[in-house]
Amino acid sequence: MTRRPRGVTLKSPDQVARMRDAGLVVARTLDRLVAAVRPGISTGELDAIAEESIRAHDAVPSFLGYHGFPASICASVGPEVVHGIPSRDRVLADGELVSIDCGAILGGWHGDAAVTVAVGDCDQELLNLTKVTEEALWAGIAAAVDGGRLSDIGAAVEAVVRPHGYGLLDGYTGHGIGTSMHEPPHVPNTAPGGPGRGMELEAGLVLAIEPMVTLGDAEVTELDDGWTVVTLDGRQAAHWEHTVAITPDGPWVLTALDGGRA
Ligand code: MG
Ligand code: MG
């Protein structure tokens, strides 16, 4: 048995239930955003919908003001992988992929999730990219079980992504989450040493699992805005994320409306 690393906290069932309430705010907000995505809407308009939705649930947008981030969602389009800044000037066009990352705080507890959405009619190549990324997320979630080890998650993500030849970011990871959006541990999407390594997973751990996958190379760079992460080769990317509690009965997907049962 490995020691629990410094800063990693376990949540009580009552605390997990409160995180579920925060997760549902994120889930319902993302639901509204997915329904709103269409050619001609700007990412700034999506951000306004998100902020209105989060506040209507008496929650607070956790991204707004986070290290100076200016919006309630990250909206990353095309070669932008994560952390894109929404703008009224960035109007979505038919055939693009947009990833929307959303976080909310309710009663002091955080939820964090992301989806990638096709704008209008997308090429099959892009639809496959986002489908595989979502499948990789769910494979990672299925590996988040009491008695497992941290690298089981990255190994499960890799096992889905690698056969397709896609790029898989390893410099950006998932994370623990609780009364802060980002808590230890880092949750890598890769497992260089294979599964069965790293911290032991136990009931009460709550993790944000978030594979970031690219059509081409996994090399990325950050734009001068200090936030937006883009692929170096300019090819498209997808990003899916859920906040997941490890329970004695298996993973509980706090940011899925059905808790992940489907
Ligand atoms: Mg997120
Ligand atoms: Mg996250």
Side-chain angles (χ1 to χ4, degrees):
M1 157 124 181
T2 49
R3 287 250 300 287
R4 198 182 310 139
R6 179 186 290 270
V8 173
T9 61
L10 297 183
K11 281 76 178 177
S12 70
D14 177 61
Q15 290 171 328
V16 171
R18 293 171 68 186
M19 291 192 73
R20 169 62 167 166
D21 293 336
L24 281 174
V25 174
V26 174
R28 290 179 181 132
T29 299
L30 282 174
D31 229 32
R32 278 189 59 184
L33 295 172
V34 169
V37 167
R38 55 175 170 73
I41 196 169
S42 72
T43 56
E45 288 171 274
L46 294 175
D47 179 55
I49 293 169
E51 179 166 5
E52 190 275 323
S53 169
I54 292 167
R55 294 200 192 280
H57 288 94
D58 294 321
V60 176
S62 49
F63 294 5
L64 191 60
Y66 179 83
H67 294 284
F69 191 79
S72 296
I73 56 170
C74 298
S76 308
V77 191
E80 299 173 358
V81 188
V82 287
H83 304 163
I85 301 173
S87 164
R88 296 269 172 182
D89 298 328
R90 185 57 175 92
V91 175
L92 297 177
D94 191 60
E96 291 188 305
L97 284 183
V98 57
S99 84
I100 304 169
D101 195 345
C102 178
I105 313 167
L106 184 66
W109 295 93
H110 284 250
D112 185 10
V115 296
T116 295
V117 191
V119 184
D121 289 320
C122 274
D123 285 349
Q124 195 58 46
E125 185 181 50
L126 295 183
L127 296 176
N128 288 343
L129 174 70
T130 180
K131 178 170 162 278
V132 168
T133 308
E134 186 183 13
E135 284 170 7
L137 166 62
W138 285 101
I141 290 169
V145 295
D146 187 47
R149 300 278 288 266
L150 187 62
S151 81
D152 297 352
I153 296 172
V157 168
E158 278 206 89
V160 172
V161 172
R162 294 291 183 210
H164 296 274
Y166 296 144
L168 180 58
L169 268 67
D170 59 5
Y172 293 81
T173 69
H175 48 90
I177 178 168
T179 53
S180 300
M181 180 160 59
H182 294 121
E183 296 182 357
H186 292 294
V187 182
N189 294 305
T190 57
R197 292 168 173 265
M199 195 184 100
E200 184 161 337
L201 302 177
E202 48 187 320
L205 266 178
V206 184
L207 305 173
I209 301 174
E210 49 180 315
M212 292 152 252
V213 179
T214 63
L215 257 190
D217 205 85
E219 293 298 310
V220 293
T221 188
E222 194 179 280
L223 296 185
D224 288 342
D225 63 20
W227 286 102
T228 314
V229 176
V230 298
T231 57
L232 269 185
D233 62 11
R235 300 196 69 192
Q236 310 242 355
H239 174 215
W240 283 83
E241 176 180 26
H242 272 304
T243 296
V244 183
I246 298 176
T247 80
D249 307 318
W252 184 11
V253 187
L254 304 180
T255 46
L257 288 176
D258 71 352
R261 280 188 297 277

Tab-separated table of all heavy atoms in Angstrom, residues 78-82 97 116 125-126 128-130 132-134 136 157 161-172 189 210-221 229-240:
chain	number	residue	atom	x	y	z
A	78	GLY	N	-11.224	24.623	-32.749
A	78	GLY	CA	-10.238	24.201	-33.749
A	78	GLY	C	-8.953	23.741	-33.105
A	78	GLY	O	-8.957	22.818	-32.285
A	79	PRO	N	-7.815	24.377	-33.470
A	79	PRO	CA	-6.519	23.944	-32.928
A	79	PRO	C	-6.310	24.325	-31.468
A	79	PRO	O	-5.298	23.944	-30.876
A	79	PRO	CB	-5.499	24.653	-33.833
A	79	PRO	CG	-6.231	25.840	-34.350
A	79	PRO	CD	-7.677	25.436	-34.475
A	80	GLU	N	-7.256	25.084	-30.904
A	80	GLU	CA	-7.172	25.382	-29.472
A	80	GLU	C	-7.551	24.116	-28.711
A	80	GLU	O	-8.602	23.517	-28.971
A	80	GLU	CB	-8.114	26.530	-29.117
A	80	GLU	CG	-7.770	27.825	-29.848
A	80	GLU	CD	-8.784	28.943	-29.653
A	80	GLU	OE1	-9.807	28.728	-28.969
A	80	GLU	OE2	-8.541	30.032	-30.208
A	81	VAL	N	-6.701	23.704	-27.771
A	81	VAL	CA	-6.949	22.454	-27.057
A	81	VAL	C	-7.743	22.729	-25.787
A	81	VAL	O	-8.774	22.118	-25.524
A	81	VAL	CB	-5.625	21.742	-26.708
A	81	VAL	CG1	-5.911	20.354	-26.133
A	81	VAL	CG2	-4.714	21.632	-27.924
A	82	VAL	N	-7.235	23.628	-24.963
A	82	VAL	CA	-7.899	24.013	-23.714
A	82	VAL	C	-7.628	25.483	-23.425
A	82	VAL	O	-6.751	26.105	-24.013
A	82	VAL	CB	-7.414	23.165	-22.496
A	82	VAL	CG1	-7.972	21.746	-22.547
A	82	VAL	CG2	-5.902	23.168	-22.384
A	97	LEU	N	-15.111	22.168	-34.352
A	97	LEU	CA	-15.317	21.559	-33.037
A	97	LEU	C	-15.054	22.638	-31.989
A	97	LEU	O	-14.070	23.364	-32.089
A	97	LEU	CB	-14.326	20.422	-32.774
A	97	LEU	CG	-14.512	19.071	-33.444
A	97	LEU	CD1	-13.416	18.116	-32.951
A	97	LEU	CD2	-15.892	18.495	-33.166
A	116	THR	N	-16.943	18.368	-25.763
A	116	THR	CA	-16.605	18.881	-27.089
A	116	THR	C	-17.823	18.687	-27.978
A	116	THR	O	-18.438	17.618	-27.966
A	116	THR	CB	-15.367	18.172	-27.650
A	116	THR	OG1	-14.238	18.508	-26.826
A	116	THR	CG2	-15.075	18.605	-29.085
A	125	GLU	N	-13.875	12.790	-39.727
A	125	GLU	CA	-12.583	12.755	-39.022
A	125	GLU	C	-12.671	13.465	-37.665
A	125	GLU	O	-12.143	12.984	-36.654
A	125	GLU	CB	-11.542	13.444	-39.918
A	125	GLU	CG	-10.127	13.411	-39.421
A	125	GLU	CD	-9.172	14.142	-40.346
A	125	GLU	OE1	-9.461	15.317	-40.720
A	125	GLU	OE2	-8.144	13.547	-40.704
A	126	LEU	N	-13.354	14.605	-37.640
A	126	LEU	CA	-13.491	15.357	-36.390
A	126	LEU	C	-14.479	14.684	-35.443
A	126	LEU	O	-14.284	14.663	-34.224
A	126	LEU	CB	-13.931	16.796	-36.671
A	126	LEU	CG	-12.939	17.657	-37.440
A	126	LEU	CD1	-13.476	19.074	-37.576
A	126	LEU	CD2	-11.583	17.673	-36.740
A	128	ASN	N	-15.016	11.534	-35.244
A	128	ASN	CA	-14.300	10.394	-34.646
A	128	ASN	C	-13.381	10.863	-33.523
A	128	ASN	O	-13.281	10.215	-32.475
A	128	ASN	CB	-13.477	9.664	-35.699
A	128	ASN	CG	-14.346	8.867	-36.661
A	128	ASN	OD1	-15.507	8.593	-36.378
A	128	ASN	ND2	-13.771	8.501	-37.795
A	129	LEU	N	-12.702	11.984	-33.734
A	129	LEU	CA	-11.765	12.498	-32.724
A	129	LEU	C	-12.496	12.759	-31.404
A	129	LEU	O	-12.045	12.324	-30.335
A	129	LEU	CB	-11.116	13.791	-33.229
A	129	LEU	CG	-10.226	14.516	-32.221
A	129	LEU	CD1	-8.944	13.731	-31.967
A	129	LEU	CD2	-9.905	15.934	-32.702
A	130	THR	N	-13.609	13.435	-31.467
A	130	THR	CA	-14.311	13.758	-30.213
A	130	THR	C	-14.960	12.504	-29.622
A	130	THR	O	-14.987	12.327	-28.399
A	130	THR	CB	-15.324	14.909	-30.397
A	130	THR	OG1	-15.959	15.155	-29.148
A	130	THR	CG2	-16.352	14.633	-31.459
A	132	VAL	N	-13.814	9.397	-29.798
A	132	VAL	CA	-12.767	8.602	-29.148
A	132	VAL	C	-12.319	9.277	-27.850
A	132	VAL	O	-12.059	8.608	-26.846
A	132	VAL	CB	-11.574	8.405	-30.120
A	132	VAL	CG1	-10.355	7.851	-29.386
A	132	VAL	CG2	-11.993	7.491	-31.270
A	133	THR	N	-12.249	10.603	-27.845
A	133	THR	CA	-11.843	11.318	-26.629
A	133	THR	C	-12.859	11.090	-25.514
A	133	THR	O	-12.489	10.854	-24.352
A	133	THR	CB	-11.684	12.822	-26.912
A	133	THR	OG1	-10.836	13.000	-28.045
A	133	THR	CG2	-11.096	13.543	-25.715
A	134	GLU	N	-14.146	11.120	-25.869
A	134	GLU	CA	-15.174	10.859	-24.859
A	134	GLU	C	-15.095	9.410	-24.372
A	134	GLU	O	-15.222	9.137	-23.170
A	134	GLU	CB	-16.575	11.168	-25.419
A	134	GLU	CG	-17.647	11.054	-24.345
A	134	GLU	CD	-19.059	11.290	-24.859
A	134	GLU	OE1	-19.274	11.311	-26.082
A	134	GLU	OE2	-19.957	11.433	-23.994
A	136	ALA	N	-12.447	7.649	-24.242
A	136	ALA	CA	-11.256	7.570	-23.385
A	136	ALA	C	-11.571	8.100	-21.994
A	136	ALA	O	-11.114	7.539	-20.982
A	136	ALA	CB	-10.103	8.354	-24.020
A	157	VAL	N	-7.043	5.438	-20.436
A	157	VAL	CA	-7.206	6.491	-21.442
A	157	VAL	C	-6.322	6.175	-22.652
A	157	VAL	O	-6.775	6.197	-23.809
A	157	VAL	CB	-6.840	7.870	-20.847
A	157	VAL	CG1	-6.719	8.916	-21.946
A	157	VAL	CG2	-7.876	8.293	-19.807
A	161	VAL	N	-7.038	5.684	-26.808
A	161	VAL	CA	-6.599	6.722	-27.750
A	161	VAL	C	-5.521	6.212	-28.703
A	161	VAL	O	-5.562	6.471	-29.913
A	161	VAL	CB	-6.083	7.953	-26.973
A	161	VAL	CG1	-5.453	8.965	-27.918
A	161	VAL	CG2	-7.221	8.581	-26.177
A	162	ARG	N	-4.538	5.499	-28.184
A	162	ARG	CA	-3.346	5.160	-28.986
A	162	ARG	C	-3.640	4.401	-30.274
A	162	ARG	O	-3.024	4.704	-31.307
A	162	ARG	CB	-2.343	4.363	-28.140
A	162	ARG	CG	-1.719	5.129	-26.979
A	162	ARG	CD	-0.778	6.215	-27.421
A	162	ARG	NE	-0.161	6.860	-26.254
A	162	ARG	CZ	0.223	8.143	-26.240
A	162	ARG	NH1	0.057	8.903	-27.320
A	162	ARG	NH2	0.762	8.656	-25.162
A	163	PRO	N	-4.560	3.410	-30.262
A	163	PRO	CA	-4.789	2.665	-31.515
A	163	PRO	C	-5.233	3.548	-32.670
A	163	PRO	O	-5.088	3.166	-33.832
A	163	PRO	CB	-5.891	1.663	-31.128
A	163	PRO	CG	-5.762	1.501	-29.652
A	163	PRO	CD	-5.329	2.847	-29.143
A	164	HIS	N	-5.758	4.739	-32.366
A	164	HIS	CA	-6.217	5.630	-33.431
A	164	HIS	C	-5.096	6.516	-33.961
A	164	HIS	O	-5.295	7.256	-34.922
A	164	HIS	CB	-7.365	6.495	-32.910
A	164	HIS	CG	-8.590	5.706	-32.544
A	164	HIS	ND1	-9.553	5.362	-33.453
A	164	HIS	CD2	-8.971	5.147	-31.359
A	164	HIS	CE1	-10.499	4.650	-32.853
A	164	HIS	NE2	-10.165	4.498	-31.578
A	165	GLY	N	-3.928	6.479	-33.299
A	165	GLY	CA	-2.800	7.280	-33.753
A	165	GLY	C	-2.921	8.758	-33.419
A	165	GLY	O	-2.166	9.578	-33.935
A	166	TYR	N	-3.863	9.100	-32.570
A	166	TYR	CA	-4.031	10.507	-32.180
A	166	TYR	C	-2.913	10.934	-31.221
A	166	TYR	O	-2.239	10.109	-30.601
A	166	TYR	CB	-5.363	10.707	-31.461
A	166	TYR	CG	-6.602	10.455	-32.291
A	166	TYR	CD1	-7.731	9.889	-31.711
A	166	TYR	CD2	-6.667	10.819	-33.637
A	166	TYR	CE1	-8.895	9.671	-32.442
A	166	TYR	CE2	-7.824	10.602	-34.379
A	166	TYR	CZ	-8.937	10.031	-33.775
A	166	TYR	OH	-10.073	9.820	-34.497
A	167	GLY	N	-2.779	12.257	-31.062
A	167	GLY	CA	-1.893	12.799	-30.040
A	167	GLY	C	-2.636	12.865	-28.715
A	167	GLY	O	-3.840	13.113	-28.673
A	168	LEU	N	-1.904	12.618	-27.631
A	168	LEU	CA	-2.501	12.640	-26.295
A	168	LEU	C	-1.618	13.523	-25.425
A	168	LEU	O	-0.454	13.210	-25.196
A	168	LEU	CB	-2.573	11.212	-25.751
A	168	LEU	CG	-3.166	10.967	-24.372
A	168	LEU	CD1	-4.595	11.472	-24.287
A	168	LEU	CD2	-3.119	9.470	-24.054
A	169	LEU	N	-2.173	14.645	-24.957
A	169	LEU	CA	-1.360	15.577	-24.175
A	169	LEU	C	-0.930	14.934	-22.864
A	169	LEU	O	-1.758	14.354	-22.152
A	169	LEU	CB	-2.165	16.852	-23.859
A	169	LEU	CG	-2.018	17.997	-24.866
A	169	LEU	CD1	-2.629	17.618	-26.196
A	169	LEU	CD2	-2.621	19.277	-24.318
A	170	ASP	N	0.353	15.060	-22.535
A	170	ASP	CA	0.789	14.553	-21.239
A	170	ASP	C	1.294	15.662	-20.318
A	170	ASP	O	1.504	15.422	-19.136
A	170	ASP	CB	1.821	13.427	-21.389
A	170	ASP	CG	3.045	13.863	-22.146
A	170	ASP	OD1	3.145	15.064	-22.486
A	170	ASP	OD2	3.906	13.006	-22.400
A	171	GLY	N	1.446	16.875	-20.822
A	171	GLY	CA	1.890	17.980	-19.966
A	171	GLY	C	0.732	18.650	-19.224
A	171	GLY	O	0.946	19.447	-18.318
A	172	TYR	N	-0.491	18.329	-19.641
A	172	TYR	CA	-1.688	18.833	-18.968
A	172	TYR	C	-2.439	17.614	-18.445
A	172	TYR	O	-2.548	16.607	-19.147
A	172	TYR	CB	-2.567	19.640	-19.928
A	172	TYR	CG	-1.911	20.924	-20.368
A	172	TYR	CD1	-0.967	20.927	-21.399
A	172	TYR	CD2	-2.217	22.129	-19.754
A	172	TYR	CE1	-0.345	22.110	-21.806
A	172	TYR	CE2	-1.609	23.311	-20.148
A	172	TYR	CZ	-0.672	23.292	-21.177
A	172	TYR	OH	-0.062	24.470	-21.555
A	189	ASN	N	-3.086	11.577	-18.113
A	189	ASN	CA	-3.817	10.846	-19.143
A	189	ASN	C	-2.945	9.819	-19.846
A	189	ASN	O	-3.371	9.207	-20.822
A	189	ASN	CB	-4.391	11.831	-20.161
A	189	ASN	CG	-5.441	12.718	-19.542
A	189	ASN	OD1	-6.401	12.237	-18.971
A	189	ASN	ND2	-5.254	14.024	-19.627
A	210	GLU	N	-9.665	14.212	-17.364
A	210	GLU	CA	-9.893	15.068	-18.526
A	210	GLU	C	-8.901	14.839	-19.660
A	210	GLU	O	-7.949	15.596	-19.814
A	210	GLU	CB	-9.925	16.539	-18.131
A	210	GLU	CG	-8.792	17.046	-17.259
A	210	GLU	CD	-8.964	18.543	-16.953
A	210	GLU	OE1	-9.264	19.313	-17.871
A	210	GLU	OE2	-8.791	18.934	-15.782
A	211	PRO	N	-9.135	13.807	-20.491
A	211	PRO	CA	-8.245	13.602	-21.639
A	211	PRO	C	-8.344	14.732	-22.665
A	211	PRO	O	-9.441	15.231	-22.939
A	211	PRO	CB	-8.733	12.274	-22.239
A	211	PRO	CG	-10.077	12.034	-21.681
A	211	PRO	CD	-10.150	12.758	-20.368
A	212	MET	N	-7.170	15.123	-23.180
A	212	MET	CA	-7.055	16.133	-24.235
A	212	MET	C	-6.351	15.456	-25.399
A	212	MET	O	-5.218	14.987	-25.255
A	212	MET	CB	-6.221	17.317	-23.716
A	212	MET	CG	-6.923	18.105	-22.614
A	212	MET	SD	-5.772	18.908	-21.463
A	212	MET	CE	-6.009	17.888	-19.997
A	213	VAL	N	-7.034	15.381	-26.536
A	213	VAL	CA	-6.582	14.539	-27.642
A	213	VAL	C	-6.528	15.374	-28.918
A	213	VAL	O	-7.403	16.217	-29.153
A	213	VAL	CB	-7.535	13.333	-27.810
A	213	VAL	CG1	-7.100	12.444	-28.963
A	213	VAL	CG2	-7.599	12.518	-26.509
A	214	THR	N	-5.497	15.141	-29.733
A	214	THR	CA	-5.316	15.924	-30.964
A	214	THR	C	-5.295	15.007	-32.180
A	214	THR	O	-4.871	13.857	-32.098
A	214	THR	CB	-3.994	16.713	-30.916
A	214	THR	OG1	-2.900	15.797	-30.841
A	214	THR	CG2	-3.948	17.633	-29.704
A	215	LEU	N	-5.738	15.563	-33.310
A	215	LEU	CA	-5.738	14.791	-34.567
A	215	LEU	C	-4.328	14.495	-35.027
A	215	LEU	O	-4.063	13.468	-35.630
A	215	LEU	CB	-6.421	15.610	-35.674
A	215	LEU	CG	-7.827	15.277	-36.090
A	215	LEU	CD1	-8.161	16.058	-37.357
A	215	LEU	CD2	-8.028	13.788	-36.305
A	216	GLY	N	-3.424	15.428	-34.770
A	216	GLY	CA	-2.044	15.274	-35.230
A	216	GLY	C	-1.117	15.017	-34.061
A	216	GLY	O	-1.345	14.147	-33.221
A	217	ASP	N	-0.077	15.828	-34.003
A	217	ASP	CA	0.938	15.701	-32.979
A	217	ASP	C	0.417	16.244	-31.643
A	217	ASP	O	-0.470	17.087	-31.612
A	217	ASP	CB	2.130	16.550	-33.430
A	217	ASP	CG	3.412	16.056	-32.836
A	217	ASP	OD1	4.010	15.141	-33.420
A	217	ASP	OD2	3.792	16.588	-31.769
A	218	ALA	N	0.976	15.753	-30.537
A	218	ALA	CA	0.525	16.206	-29.214
A	218	ALA	C	1.283	17.435	-28.725
A	218	ALA	O	1.036	17.910	-27.619
A	218	ALA	CB	0.668	15.078	-28.200
A	219	GLU	N	2.202	17.966	-29.578
A	219	GLU	CA	2.964	19.145	-29.146
A	219	GLU	C	2.051	20.370	-29.130
A	219	GLU	O	1.318	20.628	-30.078
A	219	GLU	CB	4.132	19.408	-30.095
A	219	GLU	CG	5.201	18.328	-30.058
A	219	GLU	CD	5.835	18.210	-28.684
A	219	GLU	OE1	6.241	19.258	-28.129
A	219	GLU	OE2	5.911	17.088	-28.157
A	220	VAL	N	2.116	21.126	-28.024
A	220	VAL	CA	1.267	22.314	-27.895
A	220	VAL	C	2.102	23.502	-27.432
A	220	VAL	O	3.226	23.344	-26.955
A	220	VAL	CB	0.125	22.086	-26.875
A	220	VAL	CG1	-0.861	21.046	-27.377
A	220	VAL	CG2	0.672	21.716	-25.508
A	221	THR	N	1.522	24.692	-27.578
A	221	THR	CA	2.149	25.896	-27.067
A	221	THR	C	1.056	26.812	-26.539
A	221	THR	O	-0.117	26.622	-26.857
A	221	THR	CB	2.993	26.602	-28.153
A	221	THR	OG1	3.729	27.664	-27.551
A	221	THR	CG2	2.107	27.160	-29.264
A	229	VAL	N	-4.156	27.271	-25.062
A	229	VAL	CA	-3.213	26.223	-25.442
A	229	VAL	C	-3.613	25.715	-26.826
A	229	VAL	O	-4.758	25.285	-27.031
A	229	VAL	CB	-3.238	25.067	-24.417
A	229	VAL	CG1	-2.343	23.925	-24.857
A	229	VAL	CG2	-2.823	25.583	-23.042
A	230	VAL	N	-2.689	25.806	-27.793
A	230	VAL	CA	-2.977	25.396	-29.172
A	230	VAL	C	-1.993	24.327	-29.621
A	230	VAL	O	-0.873	24.233	-29.123
A	230	VAL	CB	-2.901	26.595	-30.155
A	230	VAL	CG1	-3.925	27.657	-29.807
A	230	VAL	CG2	-1.491	27.193	-30.169
A	231	THR	N	-2.428	23.537	-30.608
A	231	THR	CA	-1.512	22.549	-31.187
A	231	THR	C	-0.476	23.284	-32.026
A	231	THR	O	-0.780	24.265	-32.709
A	231	THR	CB	-2.256	21.540	-32.073
A	231	THR	OG1	-2.959	22.244	-33.108
A	231	THR	CG2	-3.259	20.721	-31.263
A	232	LEU	N	0.754	22.789	-32.005
A	232	LEU	CA	1.812	23.404	-32.800
A	232	LEU	C	1.572	23.166	-34.282
A	232	LEU	O	1.898	24.010	-35.114
A	232	LEU	CB	3.177	22.812	-32.405
A	232	LEU	CG	3.955	23.514	-31.303
A	232	LEU	CD1	5.315	22.850	-31.146
A	232	LEU	CD2	4.118	25.004	-31.592
A	233	ASP	N	1.014	22.010	-34.627
A	233	ASP	CA	0.812	21.705	-36.050
A	233	ASP	C	-0.506	22.263	-36.588
A	233	ASP	O	-0.832	22.066	-37.761
A	233	ASP	CB	0.919	20.189	-36.308
A	233	ASP	CG	-0.141	19.362	-35.581
A	233	ASP	OD1	-1.104	19.958	-35.035
A	233	ASP	OD2	-0.008	18.127	-35.555
A	234	GLY	N	-1.275	22.961	-35.724
A	234	GLY	CA	-2.498	23.603	-36.193
A	234	GLY	C	-3.661	22.651	-36.399
A	234	GLY	O	-4.728	23.059	-36.865
A	235	ARG	N	-3.472	21.387	-36.041
A	235	ARG	CA	-4.567	20.437	-36.240
A	235	ARG	C	-5.522	20.475	-35.042
A	235	ARG	O	-5.203	21.002	-33.988
A	235	ARG	CB	-4.013	19.035	-36.493
A	235	ARG	CG	-3.112	19.023	-37.746
A	235	ARG	CD	-2.853	17.637	-38.257
A	235	ARG	NE	-4.053	17.042	-38.827
A	235	ARG	CZ	-4.153	15.747	-39.130
A	235	ARG	NH1	-3.129	14.939	-38.912
A	235	ARG	NH2	-5.261	15.263	-39.650
A	236	GLN	N	-6.705	19.899	-35.231
A	236	GLN	CA	-7.785	20.081	-34.270
A	236	GLN	C	-7.611	19.209	-33.033
A	236	GLN	O	-6.862	18.225	-33.045
A	236	GLN	CB	-9.115	19.739	-34.928
A	236	GLN	CG	-9.289	20.441	-36.244
A	236	GLN	CD	-10.470	21.385	-36.268
A	236	GLN	OE1	-11.249	21.472	-35.327
A	236	GLN	NE2	-10.604	22.101	-37.361
A	237	ALA	N	-8.357	19.568	-31.996
A	237	ALA	CA	-8.248	18.876	-30.719
A	237	ALA	C	-9.633	18.692	-30.109
A	237	ALA	O	-10.588	19.364	-30.479
A	237	ALA	CB	-7.374	19.681	-29.769
A	238	ALA	N	-9.709	17.760	-29.160
A	238	ALA	CA	-10.939	17.544	-28.401
A	238	ALA	C	-10.583	17.368	-26.924
A	238	ALA	O	-9.471	16.944	-26.586
A	238	ALA	CB	-11.688	16.311	-28.916
A	239	HIS	N	-11.541	17.692	-26.064
A	239	HIS	CA	-11.312	17.669	-24.613
A	239	HIS	C	-12.632	17.307	-23.946
A	239	HIS	O	-13.660	17.933	-24.206
A	239	HIS	CB	-10.859	19.072	-24.161
A	239	HIS	CG	-10.715	19.243	-22.679
A	239	HIS	ND1	-11.013	20.429	-22.037
A	239	HIS	CD2	-10.302	18.400	-21.708
A	239	HIS	CE1	-10.781	20.304	-20.742
A	239	HIS	NE2	-10.353	19.078	-20.507
A	240	TRP	N	-12.594	16.266	-23.129
A	240	TRP	CA	-13.779	15.870	-22.348
A	240	TRP	C	-13.363	15.718	-20.903
A	240	TRP	O	-12.253	15.233	-20.618
A	240	TRP	CB	-14.339	14.539	-22.850
A	240	TRP	CG	-15.129	14.636	-24.127
A	240	TRP	CD1	-14.621	14.650	-25.402
A	240	TRP	CD2	-16.558	14.733	-24.274
A	240	TRP	NE1	-15.654	14.734	-26.322
A	240	TRP	CE2	-16.850	14.788	-25.649
A	240	TRP	CE3	-17.604	14.769	-23.352
A	240	TRP	CZ2	-18.152	14.875	-26.140
A	240	TRP	CZ3	-18.907	14.860	-23.843
A	240	TRP	CH2	-19.170	14.912	-25.226
